[in-house]
Amino acid sequence: MTTLPPCPDCKSTYTYEDGTLLICPECAHEWSSVAAAEPVEQQKVVRDAHGNELHDGDAVTVIKDLKIKGSSLVVKVGTKVRNIRLVDGDHDIDCKIDGIGAMGLKSEFVKKS
């Protein structure tokens, strides 16, 4: 048996459920149940520079020369990157680029191939 929360107005412990609402029989106050009030966690949608939705395993093309910090290497415009992995953080994409290695890219500098 689950215990229902007391009424937020009159603090009565005699609350009952009616569908998705909780009701207090003493003051007639109605409010949403805890399960319905919790926000539904949504997946973060990552989009490329043109607004196309990206998914794990997609192939993308770099649309701007990108200098690599701490190195003299540059990722040139038109570089194709296959099998991307979407991650949370400052850089949305983890990938391996031929000749450079593993690195993180921002989705605003790529377009879906």
Side-chain angles (χ1 to χ4, degrees):
M1 183 175 181
T2 61
T3 58
L4 298 174
C7 175
D9 281 353
C10 69
K11 308 295 184 226
S12 171
T13 59
Y14 299 112
T15 58
Y16 65 92
E17 271 185 302
D18 185 22
T20 60
L21 293 176
L22 294 175
I23 301 171
C24 175
E26 293 183 1
C27 69
H29 179 69
E30 297 180 358
W31 69 99
S32 296
S33 66
V34 176
E38 290 180 4
V40 177
E41 192 171 321
Q42 295 181 357
Q43 293 277 346
K44 179 182 173 191
V45 177
V46 178
R47 298 190 182 274
D48 69 358
H50 300 291
N52 299 319
E53 190 172 334
L54 297 174
H55 301 284
D56 286 340
D58 281 347
V60 295
T61 304
V62 177
I63 62 169
K64 178 182 175 184
D65 282 347
L66 302 173
K67 295 180 183 177
I68 300 173
K69 283 187 177 179
S71 174
S72 62
L73 297 174
V74 176
V75 179
K76 296 284 188 179
V77 172
T79 302
K80 295 190 188 281
V81 182
R82 290 187 214 118
N83 199 18
I84 64 169
R85 187 171 43 116
L86 302 178
V87 294
D88 290 332
D90 187 32
H91 292 75
D92 304 304
I93 300 170
D94 273 348
C95 61
K96 281 187 180 178
I97 298 178
D98 294 336
I100 295 175
M103 66 180 306
L105 296 173
K106 290 187 177 184
S107 60
E108 62 199 55
F109 300 121
V110 299
K111 69 176 182 177
K112 193 171 186 175
S113 298

